[in-house]
Amino acid sequence: MSICPCGSGRPFGDCCAPYIQGKSLPPTAEALMRSRYSAYLEQAIDYLGDTLHPDHRDDWDRDATRRWAANAEWLGLEIVACEAGQAGDQEGWVEFIATFSEDGVVKRHRERSRFQVADGRWYYVDGEVPK
């Protein structure tokens, strides 16, 4: 069994796969963040759309997401910091660095993402570039 691309060190089948496959829900904002990163590698575009907060889906570009997932070589995820976002919280923030290569150029995307619980599950709301 392969190691999960999210950087947890756990097998993919015991880490992000059950979330991406709809077998269970991520229990924390960090678990959702990690599974969304893994979904890019797996090109699980439906999962990426389904885990966007329902109030923030109107401007989501499915085709652009699919192209980015397919055309980038995903090289690693580093979780920099987490604030709240645990089971029982209603909101949380995860700061991360995703490293990827596009057209042979290695890039690092750093973001502080906001997550919220709605109807009993975590969703990605939005993100900002950390100061």
Side-chain angles (χ1 to χ4, degrees):
M1 188 177 285
S2 64
I3 297 297
C4 193
C6 80
S8 69
R10 297 171 47 210
F12 180 63
D14 296 335
C15 191
C16 292
Y19 308 139
I20 294 170
Q21 296 166 355
K23 295 177 180 176
S24 61
L25 295 174
T28 66
E30 180 181 349
L32 178 57
M33 175 64 243
R34 288 181 180 279
S35 68
R36 285 179 55 83
Y37 175 83
S38 293
Y40 276 98
L41 274 90
E42 296 293 313
Q43 298 182 38
I45 308 308
D46 288 340
Y47 182 77
L48 292 167
D50 291 345
T51 56
L52 287 174
H53 194 283
D55 294 343
H56 296 265
R57 291 181 184 167
D58 290 343
D59 62 350
W60 181 55
D61 187 333
R62 178 187 183 78
D63 289 333
T65 302
R66 182 189 48 74
R67 282 191 304 274
W68 191 31
N71 294 329
E73 178 185 359
W74 300 93
L75 303 173
L77 176 69
E78 175 188 349
I79 302 296
V80 176
C82 296
E83 295 174 47
Q86 299 301 309
D89 292 334
Q90 293 300 302
E91 191 167 54
W93 296 264
V94 179
E95 185 174 335
F96 68 92
I97 300 169
T99 305
F100 61 98
S101 176
E102 277 184 312
D103 300 321
V105 178
V106 175
K107 301 177 181 181
R108 293 168 39 107
H109 174 76
R110 187 169 188 153
E111 182 177 308
R112 184 175 184 263
S113 298
R114 181 169 55 126
F115 297 86
Q116 289 180 341
V117 173
D119 297 324
R121 67 180 286 184
W122 283 102
Y123 289 98
Y124 170 77
V125 177
D126 56 22
E128 63 186 20
V129 175
K131 295 177 174 116

